Amino acid sequence: MYIPYLRGRQYELITIREMINNGKLSNKIVPLIEPVKLSSTLISTMKEAVKKEREIIVICNSEIEDFEDDFYSDEKREEKESFLELLRSEFITKGFIMNKNIEIDIAEYRSNNIDIENEKMAVICNNYDYIDKYQELFIQNKPKYTFIPENKRFRKKINYNIVLLEDRFKRRERNSDYLEKDDEFYSEDHLSYKDEDYIGFSDYSTIGEKFISGGFAPYAVAIHMLYFDKEKALRVHHFVSDSNLDIKNPAKKFYEALKKLCDFKGKLEETKALEIFEEYFESQSYPGLGSLKKLSLMHHLELMGKLLDEGVIE
């Protein structure tokens, strides 16, 4: 089972919503969403999952400040009610990050008539300071999923229904820095997680764990695409523009990066996302940077889905 950890940015939510809607998301992939905002896009994505009876995990105590601000804002009262109503669905697994306030956070949702049972929860426990609190809360009834890092100290104390969670993307400070090493190893967690007694594996795709609010006009455009090597390990190739001295003409930068992608496509698995990239290349159109990130994520999810559905891994 693959459980990608997504931060609920608009392009991530739209990717999940569209893939659920068109049947492109494997049943062996369960998206985990840490909301950025209490947005209409979050609500519509949750509605689509419930409508299509597809499990997704939504973190209820998101550590991103904008979400908490929205949750307690009078201006977001309608969105909050919709959010709480959707959380009552059996297809929305309630997720919580282990922190000093987790008991208060859980009580808050229960006070809003959200049925939160340990056995139906997802818990992210990636801070060793809260392991004792985790053991105290879940000494008898274990969560459905517990996400832990690749660390022996965690494994010694948490060993039931565990999901491996690691950031496998080597983020660079600037997009142009990817030119220094445009192809590199990404992960083989999908090949080893069951042998190490995990029930699933999780990562942050080609987005990375660090959350950066807002955006800016980049000097370089980079497209990150995952592919399998001969041993079925995942590698990532970075397709980067060349005219990177200023922020002018992002469409030209995109086309430069896209040409490199199309020249490399023989090594990439055919996906709908790759097909769309090729269409952009042929039409020489520029969809915007958000679309590039969306298509890279879509390609990754399609890629993992094919591997899971073909029975190469489970």
Side-chain angles (χ1 to χ4, degrees):
M1 178 188 296
Y2 176 47
I3 308 179
Y5 194 120
L6 307 173
R7 279 291 171 32
R9 297 175 183 85
Q10 180 162 306
Y11 74 86
E12 295 168 281
L13 294 170
I14 292 173
T15 299
I16 296 303
R17 187 183 67 200
E18 290 183 356
M19 291 187 73
I20 290 176
N21 177 263
N22 61 29
K24 289 291 185 179
L25 189 70
S26 167
N27 289 324
K28 296 179 180 178
I29 295 177
V30 178
L32 184 159
I33 299 168
E34 181 179 6
V36 172
K37 294 182 179 180
L38 195 52
S39 66
S40 59
T41 312
L42 172 65
I43 301 302
S44 64
T45 301
M46 294 171 68
K47 283 182 178 179
E48 190 64 29
V50 172
K51 176 183 176 183
K52 293 297 177 69
E53 300 185 349
R54 287 296 311 272
E55 180 186 10
I56 64 171
I57 302 168
V58 176
I59 295 178
C60 298
N61 63 339
S62 173
E63 294 189 335
I64 299 170
E65 288 184 7
D66 285 352
F67 177 79
E68 184 176 2
D69 291 342
D70 282 354
F71 192 83
Y72 292 105
S73 168
D74 289 338
E75 295 178 1
K76 291 284 186 174
R77 188 175 299 171
E78 185 176 337
E79 289 87 346
K80 178 180 177 180
E81 288 304 314
S82 297
F83 178 71
L84 292 173
E85 182 60 35
L86 287 162
L87 284 179
R88 298 183 180 104
S89 168
E90 63 181 299
F91 300 107
I92 308 294
T93 296
K94 274 66 76 178
F96 287 87
I97 298 171
M98 284 300 306
N99 58 39
K100 64 181 181 180
N101 296 319
I102 187 169
E103 291 173 287
I104 297 172
D105 294 335
I106 293 173
E108 169 78 23
Y109 280 92
R110 285 176 173 158
S111 71
N112 282 286
N113 298 316
I114 306 299
D115 184 19
I116 298 177
E117 301 176 38
N118 289 7
E119 302 91 334
K120 296 180 181 179
M121 286 176 59
V123 177
I124 292 82
C125 187
N126 54 7
N127 187 327
Y128 196 79
D129 289 342
Y130 299 117
I131 282 189
D132 289 343
K133 173 63 70 175
Y134 173 91
Q135 292 180 311
E136 176 187 328
L137 291 177
F138 304 107
I139 189 170
Q140 290 184 330
N141 301 321
K142 309 299 184 185
K144 183 177 182 179
Y145 311 109
T146 297
F147 294 77
I148 63 172
E150 191 176 34
N151 187 304
K152 290 181 180 179
R153 296 176 69 201
F154 283 82
R155 289 296 299 269
K156 286 180 180 178
K157 294 193 174 184
I158 303 176
N159 54 23
Y160 190 83
N161 286 351
I162 51 176
V163 177
L164 173 62
L165 172 60
E166 283 288 343
D167 184 4
R168 300 304 189 188
F169 185 66
K170 299 179 179 66
R171 180 187 287 275
R172 308 294 197 273
E173 184 177 347
R174 303 168 302 180
N175 281 343
S176 58
D177 293 339
Y178 293 106
L179 285 167
E180 297 174 9
K181 190 174 184 181
D182 63 4
D183 194 279
E184 56 192 335
F185 176 79
Y186 179 80
S187 172
E188 55 184 14
D189 292 338
H190 56 288
L191 301 176
S192 60
Y193 78 99
K194 292 191 73 175
D195 293 337
E196 297 172 8
D197 295 325
Y198 293 99
I199 63 169
F201 61 101
S202 179
D203 59 29
Y204 299 87
S205 189
T206 56
I207 303 162
E209 178 180 6
K210 184 178 180 180
F211 175 74
I212 300 174
S213 181
F216 55 90
Y219 278 70
V221 167
I223 305 171
H224 312 290
M225 297 289 278
L226 291 163
Y227 69 99
F228 294 115
D229 66 15
K230 293 180 180 179
E231 304 299 323
K232 290 296 182 183
L234 274 174
R235 297 187 64 83
V236 59
H237 198 97
H238 313 288
F239 304 96
V240 186
S241 59
D242 296 311
S243 56
N244 304 326
L245 296 178
D246 53 44
I247 63 173
K248 297 177 181 178
N249 204 341
K252 177 185 177 183
K253 298 177 191 293
F254 168 58
Y255 191 76
E256 290 170 349
L258 189 57
K259 184 179 187 306
K260 293 179 181 181
L261 189 158
C262 290
D263 289 342
F264 189 84
K265 69 178 183 179
K267 292 187 178 181
L268 299 173
E269 185 83 19
E270 286 292 333
T271 63
K272 180 62 177 178
L274 182 58
E275 180 183 320
I276 295 172
F277 270 127
E278 292 180 86
E279 290 173 359
Y280 285 139
F281 181 73
E282 291 171 3
S283 63
Q284 297 190 31
S285 55
Y286 173 55
L289 293 178
S291 292
L292 308 192
K293 296 175 181 178
K294 171 189 168 184
L295 289 171
S296 292
L297 176 60
M298 183 188 297
H299 175 78
H300 183 191
L301 297 181
E302 286 186 79
L303 192 66
M304 297 309 300
K306 285 187 176 185
L307 196 69
L308 290 161
D309 293 339
E310 289 171 1
V312 178
I313 59 173
E314 299 180 359

